[in-house]
Amino acid sequence: MEDHVPHEAIYQLLTAPTVPVGLSALVGDRIYPVGVEEDVQAPYITYSQVNEDFTSTKDGLVSNGYVFEVAIYGNRPSECVRGAKNIRKALNLKTHEVPDLGTLRLKVFDQADEPYDDEADLFSTVVQFRARKIS
């Protein structure tokens, strides 16, 4: 599986017409893979693949899906809480068809709330997901 595949699926789901109105109203088009330039105005979202998880079977290692993080950065903790809630609504238990790969199902499995980044002068909430191939 190629590294760019989950990135494309995540971006498409976060910008789909079905995304919660609260998310698009909060961040607009400020959704970026991996990181942002210094001059980007908060609130904004970043997303990145953490790893590809594997399960050991009698035939060797088999992919158990991708682990990725979606983070929202804001000037106030309330922006991060509201954004994370809408990120979960946009991605949790959703499926997405990826050409040449099949269907991925996404599921939230962890969240870290509102840590403050002194250097960026922003709050953030990080939501971790797993994307598994289901067909």
Side-chain angles (χ1 to χ4, degrees), residues 2 10 18 24 37 53 58 62 69-70 81 84 88 90-91 96 107 110 114 121 129 134:
E2 299 180 36
I10 295 162
T18 57
S24 55
E37 300 292 325
D53 194 24
K58 70 176 185 156
V62 175
E69 294 180 340
V70 179
V81 169
R88 285 190 306 274
L91 299 179
H96 189 73
K107 184 167 183 355
D110 199 9
E114 304 103 41
D121 194 26
F129 289 84
I134 59 172

Side-chain angles (χ1 to χ4, degrees), residues 45-59:
I45 290 173
T46 64
Y47 59 94
S48 63
Q49 180 179 328
V50 176
N51 63 26
E52 184 175 359
D53 194 24
F54 292 91
T55 298
S56 216
T57 70
K58 70 176 185 156
D59 297 324

Side-chain angles (χ1 to χ4, degrees), residues 68-71 84 87-88 108-112 125-129:
F68 65 95
E69 294 180 340
V70 179
I87 288 167
R88 285 190 306 274
V108 67
F109 70 89
D110 199 9
Q111 178 173 322
T125 297
V126 178
V127 184
Q128 287 190 333
F129 289 84

